[in-house]
Amino acid sequence: MARDDAMPTAKKPDDFDAFWEDVLGQASAIPLEPELVPDPLRTSDDVEVFQAFYTSIDRVRVAAWYCRPAKRAERTPAIMFLPGYQMDPPIPKEWARKGYIALSVAPRGKLRSMRQFNPGYPNLLTHNIVDRHTYAYRGFYVDTWRGIDVLLSRPEVDPARIGVTGSSQGGGLTITTAAMRSEVRAASAGAPYLCGYMDAVELTHTYPYEEINDYLRLHPERRRDVESTVAYFDGISFADRITCPIIVNIGLQDNVCPPETGYALFDRIGARDKQLYPYDGHGHDAGRARHTAVVDRFFAQHLLDGAART
Amino acid sequence: MTGTGPAGFEAYWRATLEGLARYPAAPEMEKLPLRSTPFATLYGVRLTSVGPYRLFGYLSIPTGTGPFPAIYYPPKYQSVLEIIPQGTANLQRSRYITFSLAARGQRNADTPYAAMFPGLLTEGIDDAPSYIFRGIVADSLRGLELLTTRPELDRARVVVSGNDIALITAALAEGATHVVAAPALFHAAAELAPKTTAYPLEEINDYLRLHPARAEAVRRTLAYYELRAFAPRVTATTLLMAGAPGTLLDGRALGPLVSALKGTATVHESEQSLYKDGLYAERWMASQCGIADVQSILPEHWRK
């Protein structure tokens, strides 16, 4: 594909900022009530593992995994890991082994966070998609943003050295989190999903985006409402708010998140310090085998000892 | 079965099959208009497995007269049940019957039992008779059994595609003509787990760290699931998706398994690209099933 193909059709709604300010206002009224429960089964000599829980908007209790290096500084940098669409949020021990405190969030609907909200998979992507005020990703996004508050509530976390990362849906959530949480000092987004929704459903016919095509096949009269809703949730609409250093990797043969949407997203990112890594010959892995070292260096530069502190 | 299984291996699995046979599948099929297209109709299927336990699957039948080849997706190691694997062109459903099954504990089959990931691999692992995967294997067998009752099916072209469960299913059940398997759980698990910190095998390390006295019991249970022990019963033509060279489950590590397979086997070592590996598997299945125009059922970004 040519990079010039990357022309997003989604337009940022005029009241985009007002919509999200209102959502954040609702969320701020909900106490976080963070809780860490030691998990001796998953804890090893080098990594302490906890099951984490906190309360998010609509008073949904959200689960997460919290890992910290057994040997750490009084103030340790932190990484928040965000999950793929159908991924079961992993225990982020590897990040802890690299010297970070790591929080792996299970937003509502995910395993361990589905008691109060469970639209299912497939279905999450189109759950209440005609109404931005109740669309599934409204709460889902807030859940991830409040993960930053969980990190900030921990005395061992250095609040000036927090990063966020993930791939696929985790990449999309990385974009929205970096946009909405100024505490994020570095972000790495892989194969970002939830960016260019309505372009993606034309460019590819694979799940999970295919859920929208399924929905519109059955309910063609609702297209305008769908388009209106997803414009508020499109990562491309959030991108200009990002100011922290950020790297994005995409696969040029990505069959899940079309690379055209990755290019379109990258062009809209507001940060000056941004770098795109397009991997030819790669699909939804977005070059992970090679790119992992790039991500490690990026976060080490921005978050580990020696990084500038404010 | 042949030599690599533990004493009682045959009896263990014979009893599993007998236990399954005691319960009729009692299938219920419900058309799902939301996921049906002009080229395929999707059904939600409920069926009973050993326990008894009620399972759920997605069955897609192509539009037309058939008979059609089929791809059976047995339970994966994740909570979510997909209609077809993420990233697969929906048009795959125009040429193949597809059937994906949620085993006990997975989404849509998670009441009364909900599985945890990580956690499932070691659930009851110190007691082979009640190990959770005994039921999961039975579930997978029940799924294949149901698929092979479909009148639209071409029984000469039935691919079972998944992880270790795919291979075990092909070994224990009639009906699989082809297998695509990416071992991740049960190939030399007791030996390989200490060499990695990556899940899912890390679950075994976690478990033994907390319960070191149970190491021998775990080893005994895993022996009943050792893929090499099943291999002599696998007559289906098999594609093994190995890890990249130098990784834990690369082609070299899978060598003993390949040698033990009764049917023809091809090994594809990962090129560390979901595009290249996925394209290889799609083309392999299509060629084995006599589908000449595989291009038409590939994802848009994989077509050339």
Side-chain angles (χ1 to χ4, degrees), chain A residues 67-112:
Chain A
C67 295
R68 64 187 186 194
K71 294 179 181 175
R72 60 185 180 276
E74 190 176 342
R75 290 284 199 174
T76 300
I79 296 277
M80 184 165 75
F81 178 86
L82 298 168
Y85 187 72
Q86 61 192 37
M87 166 192 280
D88 296 309
I91 303 173
K93 286 186 185 179
E94 290 307 317
W95 281 111
R97 292 192 174 101
K98 292 172 183 174
Y100 304 91
I101 286 170
L103 183 76
S104 171
V105 175
R108 64 190 62 198
K110 284 283 184 190
L111 192 64
R112 300 170 64 236

Side-chain angles (χ1 to χ4, degrees), chain B residues 96-178:
Chain B
Y96 298 93
I97 296 171
T98 64
F99 183 46
S100 59
L101 183 74
R104 61 195 60 208
Q106 291 182 286
R107 300 257 182 171
N108 302 325
D110 54 357
T111 53
Y113 166 66
M116 282 294 122
F117 297 88
L120 184 68
L121 183 59
T122 57
E123 189 160 329
I125 196 171
D126 60 333
D127 182 50
S130 62
Y131 182 39
I132 189 68
F133 269 90
R134 193 178 199 185
I136 291 170
V137 168
D139 298 345
S140 180
L141 297 172
R142 179 50 46 92
L144 181 59
E145 182 185 300
L146 181 129
L147 175 62
T148 55
T149 66
R150 295 302 309 173
E152 306 90 344
L153 177 69
D154 179 351
R155 286 173 178 72
R157 296 182 291 169
V158 179
V159 182
V160 181
S161 178
N163 61 16
D164 312 63
I165 301 299
L167 209 60
I168 295 173
T169 300
L172 293 176
E174 300 289 327
T177 62
H178 298 79

Side-chain angles (χ1 to χ4, degrees), chain A residues 86 88 109 123 205 255 281, chain B residues 35 79 82 87 107 206 273 300:
Chain A
Q86 61 192 37
D88 296 309
N123 270 345
H205 292 81
N255 49 321
Chain B
R35 308 293 174 203
S79 68
E82 305 154 283
R107 300 257 182 171
D206 288 345
S273 159
E300 285 85 345

